[in-house]
Amino acid sequence: MTQQLTAVVTGASSGIGAATARALAGAGYHVFCAARRAERIEALAAEIGGTAVVTDVTSQQSVEDLAAVVGERLDVLVNNAGGAFGLAPVAQADTDDWRRMYDVNVIGLMQVTRALLPALVASGAGAIVNVGSTAGRIAYEGGAGYTAAKHGTKVVTETLRLELWDQPVRVMEIAPGMVRTEEFSLVRFEGDQARAEAVYEGVAEPLVAEDIADAITWMVTRPAHVNVDSLVIKPRAQAAQHKVYRG
Ligand code: NDP
């Protein structure tokens, strides 16, 4: 009997992470669903036949516990946990918000990667997909805390690819533009529904979580010698970060 392929998805309790866990399960993977909210990942794991692992990626102990559950072999790691907090200009920046953004989008990604790398190497054909953002490619007013963190995600990905050049592990990044997920903008604006909805106002078809999940699944299911270094993906309405068609 051939061994079932395994995947870890961080931030699997909502949005892109939950959709990716579903898509990978659909592609035949046993998925370890990692996030802080137990109820949500337990329900998801039950739905897809996966394993829920309550994890805070910013806590080294928590990440080590995740690695212990995963065990000695892992095929795919999707570092998706992340997010934006606030939209304040640099002149009014909230230091704690900036620290939290770096912590989850960069340090968290590093800690999970470091802990799971031996298992990815042991698979003989591991794949890592880091969820960056178009915010890691450009600058926009008020966005510096988040854009700095997502530029970090991109550069850590590039560095890791160089460092693993002789190892059987692909290192990839997906950089989505505007994706309408339930919580991303709500988290950014601390629950302010009106501000969150304004982000997508008039955009008939922003990307949805399933679009990103589909792309990630495509990336990891390419043959082991095919490394999709970086995939920028935006809704058709978003010709550039600032140029969004609102009909
Ligand atoms: P959501 O806010 O819906 O999801 C964020 C996920 O990250 C949640 O599952 C949350 O779970 C998890 N998370 C946050 N902090 C931690 C932590 N410390 N430890 C473990 N899990 C954590 O956002 P999206 O699905 O929209 O975003 C997913 C990723 O995509 C993020 O990296 C985001 O930056 C990126 N992205 C999003 C875009 C968008 O427009 N929506 C565009 C480009 C990139 P919990 O709270 O249960 O821990």
Side-chain angles (χ1 to χ4, degrees):
M1 206 178 80
T2 53
Q3 201 169 4
Q4 187 179 20
L5 296 172
T6 55
V8 167
V9 179
T10 67
S13 62
S14 71
I16 293 169
T20 301
R22 283 196 182 90
L24 290 176
Y29 289 82
H30 180 93
V31 182
F32 294 91
C33 307
R36 293 168 301 177
R37 285 171 292 177
E39 258 178 47
R40 282 174 168 249
I41 51 172
E42 278 161 11
L44 177 64
E47 176 195 322
I48 64 175
T51 303
V53 191
V54 175
T55 308
D56 180 346
V57 298
T58 67
S59 153
Q60 185 168 331
Q61 184 58 56
S62 181
V63 168
E64 283 170 14
D65 294 345
L66 167 68
V69 173
V70 170
E72 290 179 358
R73 182 182 178 282
L74 176 68
D75 297 286
V76 168
L77 166 62
V78 182
N79 277 312
N80 163 77
F85 308 117
L87 195 62
V90 175
Q92 282 89 44
D94 182 309
T95 306
D96 286 340
D97 279 349
W98 279 50
R99 285 214 172 93
R100 283 166 65 211
M101 285 189 272
Y102 194 77
D103 215 16
V104 67
N105 292 291
V106 184
I107 305 274
L109 174 145
M110 174 276 287
Q111 293 195 140
V112 174
T113 304
R114 188 177 59 193
L116 294 176
L117 209 41
L120 287 158
V121 171
S123 78
I128 299 173
V129 179
N130 292 331
V131 180
S133 172
T134 51
R137 300 290 187 285
I138 44 77
Y140 59 90
E141 303 89 327
Y146 183 56
T147 53
K150 285 300 194 190
H151 276 78
T153 302
K154 172 177 184 278
V155 173
V156 171
T157 308
E158 290 169 351
T159 307
L160 184 65
R161 191 181 308 124
L162 295 172
E163 292 169 353
L164 296 184
W165 71 288
D166 59 352
Q167 296 297 313
V169 179
R170 290 183 284 159
V171 184
M172 304 179 271
E173 186 208 15
I174 185 162
M178 181 187 280
V179 189
R180 182 168 199 154
T181 55
E182 210 180 303
E183 297 190 344
F184 178 82
S185 293
L186 263 188
V187 170
R188 179 167 221 170
F189 300 123
E190 295 176 319
D192 185 334
Q193 191 86 41
R195 242 185 129 189
E197 277 173 18
V199 171
Y200 312 102
E201 198 168 355
V203 181
E205 288 182 298
L207 294 177
V208 291
E210 288 71 22
D211 296 319
I212 308 306
D214 184 37
I216 291 172
T217 303
W218 176 79
M219 290 163 82
V220 302
T221 53
R222 293 315 85 209
H225 67 284
V226 179
N227 197 96
V228 182
D229 285 17
S230 156
L231 196 155
V232 176
I233 176 168
K234 296 187 278 140
R236 193 183 60 209
Q238 189 176 27
Q241 194 78 9
H242 281 71
K243 193 173 168 74
V244 178
Y245 178 68
R246 297 176 194 270

